[in-house]
């Protein structure tokens, strides 16, 4: 039998999604929430810097090619 995806850790992960494309950020955030993770999104690099400290993400998914402060920075 094929092994399915591993279940998320108890309570899931806190994931910060950062993308200047709002549709992409919103849909990725919704998908992560449906998979049992606590997810939040920011629509740019500066917004991510403001959102990260209070949210305290376990992992961040970053768009690398954003205007202004990009995912590389």
């Amino acid at each position: 039998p094929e092994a399915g995806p591993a279940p998320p850790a108890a309570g899931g992960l806190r994931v910060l999604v950062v993308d200047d494309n709002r549709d992409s950020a919103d849909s990725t955030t919704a998908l992560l929430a449906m998979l049992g993770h606590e997810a939040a999104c920011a629509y740019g690099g500066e917004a991510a810097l403001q959102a990260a400290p209070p949210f305290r993400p376990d992992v961040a998914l970053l768009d690398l090619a954003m205007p202004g402060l990009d995912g590389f920075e």
Side-chain angles (χ1 to χ4, degrees):
E2 292 184 31
L13 298 172
R14 277 191 309 274
V15 182
L16 179 61
V17 177
V18 184
D19 197 331
D20 60 318
N21 180 324
R22 289 177 178 259
D23 289 336
S24 177
D26 291 341
S27 60
T28 302
T29 301
L31 175 63
L32 288 165
M34 288 188 316
L35 292 173
H37 302 286
E38 184 179 346
C41 63
Y43 302 121
E46 292 293 332
L49 290 177
Q50 293 175 1
F55 184 61
R56 300 187 62 174
D58 297 308
V59 65
L61 301 177
L62 302 170
D63 177 7
L64 298 178
M66 294 182 287
L69 188 63
D70 64 28
F72 291 107
E73 295 177 86

